[in-house]
Each structure stands twice: as C-alpha cells, then as structure tokens.
Amino acid sequence: APTPSNDATLSALSIGSLSLTPAFAAATTSYTAATTNATNTITAVPADAGAEIHVLVNDVEIDNGTAATWQTGSNTVKVNVTAADGTSKKTYTVTVTKS
C-alpha cells in the first residue's frame, strides 16, 4: 500500500466569487475578503485528496462546499487541513468583512 501523504496544504480556496487578498497561494495562510452578500459558498480543495478538511465560520463548523452565512462586520473563516498520515496540520484563515 502507498504511504499516506504528509501534505496538509490546499491547492485552491474560494469563497463564492470574492477576491482573496492576497491572491491564493498554498504557502500563504492568512487572507482578507469583503462582501455585501448574506451568504457565500466556501470551497477548499486539498493538494492531496486524502487530506481531511474542516471549515469553521465564527467557530461553527460547516461542510466544505456549502454556504456560510455572514454577520455584519468581521467574520473569521478557518480551514483546518490535516494530512492523510495525520502528522501534518495547517490552518488557513480568511477574515471576511460584510458591509
């Protein structure tokens, strides 16, 4: 059997059609975005298909690929990635400001 990967990076991260600042890069873990929408769909794609993804919006877990509901003001999105072998973890954070 192949050895499970220790890759805990994302290959893509999107929040609806919002622009992330800075632009997404696997090595960058902190972003900001702005929206006027009530909701946006959060999609996180692991670099390794065996990695586990947990998406939290204001500390409430939602399913990856589903819509988050924004509160007015600052919202914190955390995407926790755990490598398939369980040894490596990474957290991507996006601060989404809803006006």
Side-chain angles (χ1 to χ4, degrees), residues 28-92:
T28 303
T29 58
S30 186
Y31 300 90
T32 60
T35 187
T36 55
N37 300 339
T39 64
N40 289 104
T41 299
I42 299 173
T43 306
V45 180
D48 176 67
E52 190 174 298
I53 304 268
H54 292 278
V55 178
L56 294 101
V57 177
N58 297 324
D59 294 323
V60 176
E61 188 164 355
I62 67 167
D63 290 333
N64 187 18
T66 62
T69 300
W70 308 122
Q71 300 170 0
T72 299
S74 183
N75 297 268
T76 302
V77 176
K78 288 184 182 173
V79 179
N80 298 318
V81 185
T82 303
D85 71 356
T87 63
S88 185
K89 297 183 180 195
K90 187 174 269 196
T91 299
Y92 292 82

